[in-house]
């Protein structure tokens, strides 16, 4: 494929924006990641400076053009992906009127509980029934989602609320920075749970769900079709960045969607797994469906007529980062995984539970906490590191078992994300899950690549059915029978560790 046509892609993770130039065959020609801090405060506050994201993206775009050899007139598309369920409050011109309220911010909890909380799994029965029937998911009474954020700003920060014209997801905020137009899609707004997902063709919010949530409909952005072109880049922005003024900006997508595209797992039942800061297992699904007990749901998918399975495990790569930062600060990640490889499969019986910041799927418990289990005086440093890798894999298997009951899945699991760079971790996942795992080449940039390919589809340059064959692989990991036997024995204990400690987690939560 001709590489003269290039997409400016942005992957906005919790750690900061990654900016890249990606050819329409998926080749990443240049990329750079700039870290952005998260500010934590009382009452569960977690915020970032959304204006800083845009300043970084502008600077990185200019540097990328200077360093990559890509010409500005080659940039025919712009595509944003990244974190979702965070909220940027902006004025009519798209300027932030306060910091971005991040996906882990829980200050909205008392307002969410007042709006729809109750005794049936934390909800009023009528509210739960309406949401599951119409949408398939429901805002959390914990307040860590856009409904909770909007309610907090309305009731807890009225000075900011008074200046708000639009409440935008981060990807939609950045799209507005490029275009000057406020626009969202069913996919980008999936974390608000405010659309009737029985009718994907309806580009509007559901009156009943908006009323039950208590949010201000006037401040919700207008919806356009998923994968459509919002507009060309605003002339002043194109001149400022040095890119073509004819470049088209496609609707922003959550990282779930770009990971699906970037992995090539875009047909019904084709699985992809992301091992990043967090982790999830997803696949395209034909119908709207919900498993409220295990926090599995379908959300608007890659086009206006399909769904994607959504779930989330809150701590994956973050668990290894925690171990490095707090216990093994003398080792980098390569050294850590090399140390882990020196321990046998099963870590000599040590089991790590990775719920360091609570959990969403397959159990919804923000009070859950992690730990090492079955330690002895013979436990080694290598056992501890390998146990963390295995603990994330056990958690994924627990989720995968729920996914397999939820919908039909087929073929190998495509693995993407920073954690997938480790051969050892990929092999552990294959052994624990009993499924062949295929690692996408350059897995750290899979979502950046996915954003660009998504733009290619929106611009009519690519067909979705050709994506699986277009995505290169650089590793295939088959389950090792001897290791599987060890892991089956240990995994049999894993779900029970949560069940036996659940009461303790709740009792100790007020002390945190």
């Amino acid at each position: 494929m001709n590489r003269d046509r290039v997409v400016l892609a942005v992957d906005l993770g919790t750690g900061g924006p990654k900016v890249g130039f990606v050819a329409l065959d998926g080749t990443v020609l240049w990329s750079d990641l700039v870290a952005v801090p998260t500010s934590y405060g009382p009452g569960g506050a977690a915020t970032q400076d959304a204006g800083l994201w845009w300043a970084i993206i502008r600077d990185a775009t200019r540097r990328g053009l200077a360093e990559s050899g890509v010409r500005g007139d080659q940039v025919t598309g712009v595509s944003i992906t990244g974190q979702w369920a965070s909220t940027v409050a902006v004025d009519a011109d798209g300027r932030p009127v306060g910091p971005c309220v991040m996906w882990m911010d829980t200050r909205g909890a008392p307002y969410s509980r007042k709006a729809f909380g109750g005794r049936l799994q934390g909800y009023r029965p009528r509210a739960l029934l309406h949401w599951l029937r119409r949408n398939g998911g429901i805002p959390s009474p914990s307040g860590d989602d856009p409904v909770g954020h909007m309610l907090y700003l309305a009731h807890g920060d009225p000075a900011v609320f008074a200046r708000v014209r639009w409440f935008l997801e981060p990807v939609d905020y950045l799209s507005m920075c490029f275009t000057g137009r406020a626009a969202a899609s069913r996919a980008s707004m999936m974390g608000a749970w405010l659309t009737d997902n029985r009718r994907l063709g309806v580009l509007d919010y559901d009156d009943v769900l908006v009323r039950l949530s208590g949010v201000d409909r006037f401040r919700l952005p207008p919806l356009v079709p998923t994968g459509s072109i919002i507009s060309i880049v605003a002339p002043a922005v194109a001149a400022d960045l040095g890119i073509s003024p004819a470049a088209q900006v496609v609707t922003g997508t959550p990282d779930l969607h770009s990971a699906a595209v970037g992995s090539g797992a875009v047909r019904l039942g084709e699985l992809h797994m992301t091992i990043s800061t967090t982790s999830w297992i997803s696949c395209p699904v034909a119908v709207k469906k919900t498993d409220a007990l295990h926090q599995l749901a379908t959300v608007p998918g890659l086009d206006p007529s399909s769904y994607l399975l959504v779930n989330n495990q809150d701590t994956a790569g973050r668990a290894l980062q925690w171990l490095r930062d707090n216990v093994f600060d003398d080792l980098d990640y390569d050294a850590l995984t090399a140390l882990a490889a020196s321990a046998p499969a099963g870590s000599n019986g040590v089991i790590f539970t990775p719920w360091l910041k609570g959990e969403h799927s397959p159990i919804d418990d923000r009070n859950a906490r992690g730990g090492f289990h079955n330690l002895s005086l013979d436990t080694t440093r290598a056992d501890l590191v390998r146990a963390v890798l295995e603990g994330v894999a056990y958690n994924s298997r627990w989720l995968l078992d729920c996914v397999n009951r939820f919908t039909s899945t087929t073929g190998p699991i495509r693995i993407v994300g920073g954690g997938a760079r480790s051969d050892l971790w990929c092999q552990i996942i294959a052994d624990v899950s009993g499924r062949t795992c295929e690692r996408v080449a350059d897995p750290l940039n899979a979502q950046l690549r996915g954003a660009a390919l998504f733009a290619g589809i929106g611009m009519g340059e690519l067909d979705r059915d050709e994506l699986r064959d277009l995505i290169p692989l650089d590793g295939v990991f088959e389950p090792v029978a001897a290791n599987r036997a060890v892991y089956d024995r240990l995994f049999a204990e894993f779900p029970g560790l949560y069940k036996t400690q659940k009461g303790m987690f709740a009792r100790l939560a007020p002390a945190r």
Side-chain angles (χ1 to χ4, degrees):
M1 182 177 290
N2 193 329
R3 292 186 179 177
D4 284 341
R5 296 169 66 79
V6 175
V7 173
L8 169 57
V10 178
D11 179 8
L12 178 65
T14 303
K18 179 188 294 183
V19 181
F21 292 106
V22 185
L24 286 176
D25 65 355
T27 302
V28 179
L29 305 173
W30 180 91
S31 69
D32 189 34
L33 169 66
V34 179
V36 171
T38 300
S39 298
Y40 297 95
T47 62
Q48 285 190 8
D49 183 348
L52 180 58
W53 302 339
W54 178 234
I56 289 170
I57 291 166
R58 292 170 61 206
D59 176 71
T61 300
R62 299 188 199 102
R63 284 191 293 107
L65 290 173
E67 296 172 6
S68 67
V70 173
R71 302 186 316 275
D73 61 5
Q74 290 179 265
V75 179
T76 58
V78 176
S79 186
I80 317 295
T81 189
Q83 57 167 291
W84 53 281
S86 297
T87 303
V88 185
V90 303
D91 63 17
D93 295 320
R95 292 186 296 263
V97 297
C100 173
V101 185
M102 297 293 286
W103 54 268
M104 72 281 274
D105 190 304
T106 58
R107 288 176 292 174
Y111 310 107
S112 294
R113 287 196 292 266
K114 183 178 180 180
F116 45 78
R119 295 187 177 183
L120 180 59
Q121 294 187 317
Y123 297 97
R124 293 176 191 164
R126 181 167 170 268
L128 182 63
L129 178 63
H130 276 301
W131 251 296
L132 295 185
R133 178 184 295 161
R134 293 166 181 268
N135 181 279
I138 183 169
S140 171
S142 301
D144 50 353
D145 56 30
V147 165
H149 301 159
M150 289 185 274
L151 292 176
Y152 164 72
L153 290 171
H155 300 286
D157 199 344
V160 168
F161 183 79
R163 300 166 57 199
V164 176
R165 177 60 185 94
W166 304 111
F167 284 119
L168 300 177
E169 280 281 343
V171 296
D172 297 326
Y173 158 69
L174 291 176
S175 295
M176 190 173 184
C177 289
F178 277 99
T179 65
R181 179 184 174 190
S185 69
R186 280 176 163 269
S188 70
M189 289 295 288
M190 69 180 190
W193 313 108
L194 293 175
T195 54
D196 186 340
N197 291 340
R198 297 171 298 182
R199 299 176 296 166
L200 293 179
V202 176
L203 295 175
D204 200 0
Y205 303 97
D206 183 79
D207 290 335
V208 172
L209 300 184
V210 172
R211 176 174 52 80
L212 288 171
S213 71
V215 303
D216 183 359
R217 187 189 187 100
F218 173 74
R219 291 172 167 83
L220 298 175
L223 298 178
V224 299
T226 300
S228 65
I229 303 301
I230 299 172
S231 76
I232 60 172
V233 175
V237 174
D240 177 54
L241 300 181
I243 63 175
S244 169
Q248 301 177 87
V249 182
V250 71
T251 53
T253 54
D255 50 11
L256 171 71
H257 294 64
S258 59
V261 174
S263 71
V266 295
R267 301 187 186 103
L268 292 179
E270 292 181 342
L271 290 167
H272 82 266
M273 175 189 296
T274 296
I275 310 174
S276 188
T277 302
T278 62
S279 180
W280 65 78
I281 300 172
S282 181
C283 64
V285 179
V287 297
K288 173 185 167 295
K289 193 175 181 181
T290 301
D291 176 354
L293 182 63
H294 298 105
Q295 292 293 294
L296 307 180
T298 55
V299 295
L302 299 174
D303 58 43
S305 62
S306 67
Y307 298 89
L308 273 180
L309 172 62
V310 64
N311 49 68
N312 197 63
Q313 298 190 310
D314 284 359
T315 310
R318 188 182 298 179
L320 191 62
Q321 179 185 357
W322 168 83
L323 188 73
R324 183 202 65 178
D325 292 347
N326 294 282
V327 183
F328 294 95
D329 58 357
D330 57 323
L331 300 179
D332 60 20
Y333 289 119
D334 288 341
L336 272 179
T337 53
L339 179 62
S342 68
S347 303
N348 288 307
V350 177
I351 299 175
F352 175 73
T353 51
W355 314 308
L356 296 173
K357 194 174 172 54
E359 190 55 285
H360 278 81
S361 307
I363 47 99
D364 185 20
D365 187 349
R366 307 304 192 276
N367 294 326
R369 290 297 181 264
F372 287 98
H373 304 267
N374 205 34
L375 297 174
S376 75
L377 293 175
D378 295 324
T379 297
T380 67
R381 285 161 53 94
D383 292 333
L384 294 177
V385 182
R386 186 174 186 120
V388 169
L389 303 182
E390 292 172 344
V392 172
Y394 295 143
N395 214 34
S396 295
R397 175 173 168 180
W398 193 10
L399 176 57
L400 181 61
D401 288 348
C402 297
V403 168
N404 287 333
R405 292 192 295 270
F406 184 85
T407 189
S408 297
T409 65
T410 182
I413 301 173
R414 290 273 175 104
I415 302 185
V416 299
R421 291 178 294 177
S422 166
D423 286 359
L424 176 63
W425 213 345
C426 290
Q427 186 62 56
I428 288 171
I429 291 169
D431 293 342
V432 169
S433 68
R435 296 282 288 262
T436 299
C437 293
E438 297 177 339
R439 180 174 60 201
V440 170
D442 191 16
L444 189 59
N445 281 323
Q447 288 163 200
L448 197 71
R449 180 190 300 120
L453 296 176
F454 189 76
I457 296 170
M459 295 186 297
E461 299 287 341
L462 296 171
D463 187 283
R464 195 171 80 182
D465 288 339
E466 65 184 302
L467 289 180
R468 191 170 185 89
D469 295 331
L470 186 64
I471 303 300
L473 305 176
D474 71 358
V476 178
F477 302 86
E478 301 285 354
V480 175
N483 293 347
R484 179 70 195 274
V486 172
Y487 289 134
D488 281 349
R489 176 171 171 266
L490 292 169
F491 175 74
E493 306 293 336
F494 188 84
L497 291 173
Y498 170 73
K499 295 172 184 175
T500 58
Q501 297 178 93
K502 178 180 179 180
M504 179 192 72
F505 294 148
R507 291 190 298 273
L508 296 182
R512 296 188 186 114

